Amino acid sequence: MYTITEEILTTPSGDMVINVGPQHPATHGVLHLLITLNGETIKKVEPHLGYIHRSIEKMCESLSYRQFIYSTSRMDYLSAHINNHGCALAVEKGLQVEIPPRAEVIRVLMDELTRVASHILAWGALAMDLGAFTPFFHAFREREMINDIMEETCGARLTMNYMVPGGVMMDIHPNFQRRVKELLKQFSEKIDEYDELVTYNTIFINRTKNVGYLSKEDAISFGVSGPSARASGVSCDIRKIYPYSIYDKLKFDEILYTEGDSYARYMVRVQEVKQSLSIIEQLIDNIPEGDFQAKTKAVLKLPKGEFYSRVETARGELGVYIVSEGGMTPYRIKFRSPGYSNLSALDHMTRGSKIGDLIASMGTLDLVIPDIDR
Amino acid sequence: MFLKEYISDVYGAVKSMAIGMKRTLYYFTHHQEIITQQYPDNRDTLVLPERFRGEVVMAHDEKNEHRCTGCTACELACPNGTIKIITKFDISPEGKKKKAIDKFIYHLELCTMCNLCIEACPTNAIHMAQTFEHSVFDRAQLTKVLNKPGSKLQEGVE
């Protein structure tokens, strides 16, 4: 019998259009995907954005150079420190201030701790999307330690607002070094669990290997960056190719895989956790003495001009572009957020595959929806 | 050949599952490694770090005196318009007029706990408290007056 519902849901060619989201656990937020299906095969994925648009760029135009940094923690909330770092770098380019070495080291330590926390959460969330519930809690165990460190030193767990133009807001807590060393010890003991539970699991491998293939050329043309692009063989680590802060003095490897499938994207993240931990290990005993903040004027004014900075967040390249007219507030601020470009490749990656593979592809892209919508 | 591959596939699958299940069973039997906090039952023992940003409060000493001069540095530093300072003129015994705060109004519902007001304060009059259970039944209760009634400026704070 032909009902009105079928008329709405099916197109004349027999395709079915279904909605994933905006309230769906696998979209990790309020992402709305309009999927055209032929049976179980995906013909088209159309992301609908704007559910969590807060016009952060416009808001920043009415805030001073000290004030606007706090709002960027709310873009990609899982790499809040790195967002703040990018904004601080752009403002410092205009101010021409010298950052004390202590502040630089603290900044990099915080960035890498954030990256570890973000990647292990992505690890847990991906495993949960694919049906394994235990890894999610294992990920939160280590992430909780990092959050505690952040809470102790920065005063907040997620939206820290710790980086200010000229350095960091407060000096590190006396317990900081001890707590980070405990974290490193915990990781060295427990990192095998990650592999035991997920990496070598047959179900996980079958669900992710050769799924959501993205070639190197496509990754470049879609502007995909971060771990998702490095899994396709694109060398795009901003920390290596345009080193900022003290990254040029540190020893770490850029993880590159050439497979381009979901499993490679997953492996890049697991390997990057190890690289970030090695960066933390190099720095934690070598925090130089001195000021944690350079002396800046009470009211910051950038000279007339354009300032651009780029940082490597946990999801890819974040660009901060400031146009100044010489006043107390920016004339225009534009953020190049990694999530938006990474999402644009989703349609290309999943076309022709089964609907179950869409979840694996989406999970390994590691989308954060407030980062896409801003 | 096909059969050999098939059996090795099945063997590998069962082995990888067994390794994962072993880990799960380990935590099932080792309760001391569970780190779940029993909030809100642990409220009495819950200690938050001293830097934790819960809400802005103004410290008063035993003589009901605070350190706020009413310079509005915090009001200007706030990105959300959370703080509003209403000043008045006190007349000292010598007959001199002196600026002082009448009301330090703090809108908790607008606050994002960014710590910029605390950084801006030149006299350390305000600080962050570690309270975090802010839910109330009426939104008007979130608008707070931070200086206590009848409080004065501490001696020697300019």
Side-chain angles (χ1 to χ4, degrees), chain A residues 41-285:
Chain A
T41 312
I42 295 167
K43 288 183 88 175
K44 202 169 110 190
V45 178
E46 201 181 329
H48 281 204
L49 306 175
Y51 287 94
I52 192 160
H53 184 77
R54 293 143 297 169
S55 72
I56 284 180
E57 287 174 11
K58 190 74 192 166
M59 257 162 60
C60 290
E61 288 171 20
S62 60
L63 296 174
S64 79
Y65 290 110
R66 257 184 231 287
Q67 289 170 346
F68 89 93
I69 293 177
Y70 94 95
S71 65
T72 57
S73 313
R74 276 124 181 116
M75 291 193 325
D76 183 355
Y77 49 82
L78 289 178
S79 40
H81 265 308
I82 313 177
N83 290 354
N84 294 169
H85 195 172
C87 298
L89 281 175
V91 176
E92 281 153 12
K93 257 183 200 169
L95 290 174
Q96 302 283 341
V97 287
E98 185 98 354
I99 313 301
R102 186 180 174 84
E104 293 274 31
V105 172
I106 295 173
R107 276 180 173 188
V108 170
L109 272 171
M110 289 300 181
D111 280 5
E112 294 309 318
L113 282 174
T114 316
R115 198 184 313 279
V116 171
S118 174
H119 279 346
I120 56 175
L121 184 66
W123 171 83
L126 171 68
M128 195 168 75
D129 286 348
L130 299 181
F133 204 70
T134 316
F136 192 65
F137 292 108
H138 284 251
F140 263 74
R141 181 185 58 199
E142 268 84 42
R143 188 165 173 271
E144 186 66 25
M145 288 183 84
I146 297 175
N147 273 358
D148 280 346
I149 292 167
M150 298 290 182
E151 195 179 15
E152 204 172 50
T153 294
C154 321
R157 297 168 68 85
L158 211 59
T159 52
M160 290 77 141
N161 190 31
Y162 186 58
M163 315 262 179
V164 292
V168 291
M169 193 180 255
M170 290 166 272
D171 203 357
I172 50 169
H173 196 271
N175 288 344
F176 179 77
Q177 278 163 305
R178 184 176 58 80
R179 296 282 289 265
V180 172
K181 276 175 198 161
E182 276 172 21
L183 174 84
L184 291 173
K185 192 165 160 284
Q186 164 99 357
F187 256 109
S188 63
E189 284 168 6
K190 305 280 186 187
I191 199 125
D192 295 338
E193 273 183 20
Y194 286 53
D195 292 342
E196 281 176 14
L197 278 169
V198 177
T199 311
Y200 302 135
N201 189 288
T202 313
I203 300 171
F204 181 79
I205 292 172
N206 285 345
R207 293 261 340 239
T208 49
K209 268 240 164 103
N210 301 323
V211 163
Y213 175 71
L214 185 70
S215 70
K216 187 176 179 180
E217 290 73 29
D218 288 334
I220 292 169
S221 68
F222 278 110
V224 177
S225 58
S228 310
R230 287 199 281 283
S232 302
V234 186
S235 170
C236 62
D237 198 331
I238 307 296
R239 295 175 293 171
K240 278 277 184 207
I241 52 177
Y242 299 103
Y244 56 96
S245 204
I246 52 164
Y247 277 112
D248 47 347
K249 292 170 200 148
L250 295 170
K251 278 201 209 83
F252 66 99
D253 296 329
E254 182 180 7
I255 311 293
L256 278 179
Y257 276 69
T258 47
E259 285 89 342
D261 57 357
S262 292
Y263 193 69
R265 284 193 286 277
Y266 163 82
M267 285 306 287
V268 168
R269 293 212 166 80
V270 174
Q271 299 296 333
E272 271 191 15
V273 168
K274 289 172 187 165
Q275 291 300 324
S276 291
L277 290 172
S278 93
I279 293 177
I280 295 168
E281 237 162 42
Q282 288 169 41
L283 287 175
I284 189 65
D285 282 323

